[in-house]
Amino acid sequence: EYTLFPPFRGDKLRAEFYLKYHNRPLDVVYSLNEEEQAKGRNLREAFGIPQEAKTITLHCREPGYLNHPSYAYHDHRDSDIETFYPAVEWLIDQGYWIVRIGDKSMKRIMTHPKIVDAPFHQDYTPFVEPYFCATNEFYLGVPSGPSSIPYCYGKPTISFNSILQWAIFGFERDMWVFKKYWSKPKQRFLTFEEVIMSHLFHLARAEEFAECEVELMDNTPEEILGGTQEMLARLRGEYKHEMDSKIQSHAKTIMKKCNYMRQAM
């Protein structure tokens, strides 16, 4: 069985961080000045993106950027760009242009007239990331360094293949779609309650999950597509799901129970 509520000095700090920064509107949101907007228009022209076109920024973390044994502890954050293809194709059908950001160690993305594989483009500059993160409809990707940029500009994000504890970094319009926790001893997926009511919620390193005999399972292409569709529907105010209120109520009940038990320790 997994340990219930171990001592963890980060609990108090995490709670204080949430109350100070996430339980109310942002105090500061960055914006692009006139010079930066002009640079952005030039980038759009160089990339062949119409000035009025709506864009989605895509980032899928791969091991190449930090390809060293000392960084193996967070290999579970890596994802396969091809699992995002159904979502990318659907967004293009909705009228969006896709700007994939990252570096040249990454696998090339699928070819399409409305996809810009920015790291490999001859007109790439370091301004690509902040500009498109500041002007996109939303940021699509996984938890990684670049996912912090849209937060600065008040832009919503949807992060796939996340572990549960990372959701604390999200804001009101953000969505997190979590990895599934497969227990080798139990030979089944663990429930949301089993994870957050145990020490598994605090784990973030690959070796820690291995020691607990828990395998983190990536989201499927179907889950990524479904989450992307829900994200856009929510932003447009069109999201409706008859089970959503029941699911949300159940999740809140579990989280209240978890918070109460931790405070009582």
Side-chain angles (χ1 to χ4, degrees):
E1 295 297 323
Y2 300 110
T3 307
L4 185 66
F5 307 129
F8 183 70
R9 61 185 178 85
D11 273 353
K12 184 177 180 180
L13 181 62
R14 181 180 289 125
E16 291 176 352
F17 178 83
Y18 178 83
L19 291 172
K20 185 173 182 180
Y21 294 105
H22 291 253
N23 203 26
R24 56 180 173 74
L26 289 171
D27 290 331
V28 177
V29 176
Y30 295 118
S31 61
L32 302 174
N33 60 33
E34 292 184 5
E35 180 182 352
E36 291 166 337
Q37 291 177 31
K39 287 175 62 177
R41 289 192 291 271
N42 291 336
L43 265 179
R44 281 178 175 259
E45 184 176 352
F47 286 171
I49 302 175
Q51 296 297 331
E52 71 283 358
K54 298 179 294 184
T55 61
I56 301 292
T57 307
L58 170 66
H59 179 257
C60 184
R61 187 184 191 277
E62 295 184 23
Y65 184 68
L66 295 175
N67 188 15
H68 190 276
S70 62
Y71 295 110
Y73 67 91
H74 59 188
D75 283 352
H76 62 81
R77 297 167 60 195
D78 299 334
S79 298
D80 183 356
I81 187 65
E82 293 187 16
T83 60
F84 285 78
Y85 284 1
V88 166
E89 292 171 343
W90 181 80
L91 285 168
I92 291 173
D93 289 341
Q94 300 301 304
Y96 291 94
W97 285 68
I98 310 297
V99 180
R100 198 281 284 269
I101 61 175
D103 68 273
K104 289 185 178 181
S105 70
M106 292 179 162
K107 184 192 303 183
R108 295 294 297 261
I109 195 173
M110 59 186 284
T111 302
H112 190 281
K114 288 190 174 183
I115 297 178
V116 176
D117 204 358
F120 299 94
H121 197 281
Q122 63 180 6
D123 294 297
Y124 171 83
T125 75
F127 186 63
V128 165
E129 285 82 3
Y131 173 72
F132 284 103
C133 285
T135 59
N136 60 193
E137 188 86 354
F138 64 87
Y139 178 97
L140 169 67
V142 300
S144 188
S147 62
S148 300
I149 304 175
Y151 293 153
C152 300
Y153 294 95
K155 288 293 184 176
T157 70
I158 180 167
S159 296
F160 292 94
N161 295 332
S162 170
I163 58 175
L164 281 166
Q165 67 164 256
W166 289 339
I168 195 168
F169 297 111
F171 293 94
E172 184 178 4
R173 294 188 299 167
D174 299 327
M175 283 183 58
W176 293 78
V177 183
F178 303 111
K179 288 175 177 277
K180 295 176 285 293
Y181 288 55
W182 175 262
S183 170
K184 294 180 180 178
K186 296 179 181 291
Q187 283 296 291
R188 64 170 174 81
F189 291 114
L190 299 174
T191 66
F192 174 66
E193 183 171 8
E194 285 177 312
V195 175
I196 71 166
M197 292 287 285
S198 74
H199 72 297
L200 294 175
F201 177 70
H202 301 302
L203 305 187
R205 300 175 66 95
E207 66 269 19
E208 293 173 334
F209 289 106
E211 289 171 2
C212 294
E213 297 185 90
V214 168
E215 183 177 358
L216 298 173
M217 309 292 284
D218 283 0
N219 300 135
T220 65
E222 293 76 19
E223 289 169 337
I224 295 173
L225 171 60
T228 302
Q229 292 172 329
E230 179 179 332
M231 179 70 172
L232 190 55
R234 287 182 180 274
L235 293 177
R236 290 175 172 175
E238 301 171 352
Y239 179 72
K240 294 181 180 179
H241 195 295
E242 60 182 8
M243 287 297 295
D244 186 63
S245 60
K246 294 181 180 179
I247 294 171
Q248 293 291 340
S249 177
H250 180 58
K252 288 179 179 178
T253 298
I254 294 172
M255 288 187 284
K256 285 181 180 178
K257 177 183 174 182
C258 176
N259 290 335
Y260 175 79
M261 293 296 291
R262 280 189 164 85
Q263 290 170 8
M265 287 181 61

